[in-house]
Amino acid sequence: MNKTITVEVKRRPILTLNGPRPRVEPVPALQPATPKRPHPKKDMEAFATTFVGVDPINPMPLAIGSHTEILAQCAAQLGWSKKRTRAALGFYAGRPSYLWATLEATHRINLDGSEAQPISDADRAYAKARIAAFNGKGRDQ
């Protein structure tokens, strides 16, 4: 007994590179969750226009405690956050030119440009140590 079995086979389509291509929808670009803050170096111009005593080209040591006034004025006048203001202030006061000014100046200055308290020997020693850390040795060594 031979039985004939009939099976229906569907033909699969032939894939070629010349045929119509399926339409692919573009994926929208991902947006960052929060916008990036500008580099603190870019904030130096705003510092110079807001505070008379802050000069990015020829920095002078700021009076002790002036950071509280800077934080308040930057929030009120420039709309900066505390984090952005601290970053810009740290960039300004941590530069070698500011540290050299601490070594060479006799007095600190207020934000209005007037003379404040004299620079202590401990502040000079700290500035000298920071300069040494920047380039491996101090200017006079």
Side-chain angles (χ1 to χ4, degrees), residues 74-87:
C74 283
Q77 294 178 6
L78 303 174
W80 289 1
S81 66
K82 229 181 204 184
K83 189 174 185 178
R84 181 176 179 181
T85 305
R86 285 186 184 273

Side-chain angles (χ1 to χ4, degrees), residues 45-127:
E45 291 178 19
F47 259 24
T49 57
T50 306
F51 307 107
V52 175
V54 177
D55 183 7
I57 307 296
N58 299 313
M60 290 297 292
L62 297 174
I64 294 174
S66 60
H67 68 283
T68 54
E69 189 178 341
I70 290 174
L71 285 171
Q73 286 188 21
C74 283
Q77 294 178 6
L78 303 174
W80 289 1
S81 66
K82 229 181 204 184
K83 189 174 185 178
R84 181 176 179 181
T85 305
R86 285 186 184 273
L89 188 58
F91 181 80
Y92 176 78
R95 296 179 303 154
S97 56
Y98 182 90
L99 298 170
W100 278 113
T102 304
L103 285 177
E104 295 168 355
T106 58
H107 287 79
R108 294 181 175 277
I109 60 165
N110 292 315
L111 295 176
D112 60 1
S114 63
E115 201 172 88
Q117 66 268 27
I119 298 174
S120 69
D121 291 336
D123 292 338
R124 290 184 200 281
Y126 176 76

